[in-house]
Amino acid sequence: MAEPGGGLVAVLLFTWAITTHLNNLAGVLVKLNRAAETRPLLERALAIFRATLPTNHPQFGVVERDLAALPDD
């Protein structure tokens, strides 16, 4: 029998996986000297977090730190 809220857990896990992959891809692009391509990825990850996590969640700080570390366009 499925647990109540099990669908929500699956959605949150999928969301977490997507945002983690976006953040990791951004890190790879920075190492390849393609930092300009990372901003849209990190902004998308941040938007997903804003839509799914409480505003005081620590993951916001990770993505915001990575965005702040990017060189200016």
Side-chain angles (χ1 to χ4, degrees), residues 25-42 70-71 73:
L25 178 57
V28 169
L29 289 170
V30 166
K31 291 184 185 298
L32 294 173
N33 294 318
R34 295 169 57 182
E37 297 173 58
T38 64
R39 187 170 305 279
L41 298 174
L42 293 174
L70 291 177
D73 294 336

Side-chain angles (χ1 to χ4, degrees), residues 11-73:
V11 168
L12 290 175
L13 287 174
F14 181 73
T15 299
W16 190 269
I18 293 296
T19 53
T20 299
H21 290 308
L22 288 170
N23 202 39
N24 290 343
L25 178 57
V28 169
L29 289 170
V30 166
K31 291 184 185 298
L32 294 173
N33 294 318
R34 295 169 57 182
E37 297 173 58
T38 64
R39 187 170 305 279
L41 298 174
L42 293 174
E43 288 173 347
R44 181 68 181 140
L46 197 56
I48 292 169
F49 283 143
R50 284 188 179 128
T52 58
L53 296 175
T55 56
N56 63 344
H57 195 281
Q59 195 61 31
F60 281 102
V62 172
V63 177
E64 289 170 341
R65 178 204 63 210
D66 292 345
L67 270 168
L70 291 177
D72 292 331
D73 294 336

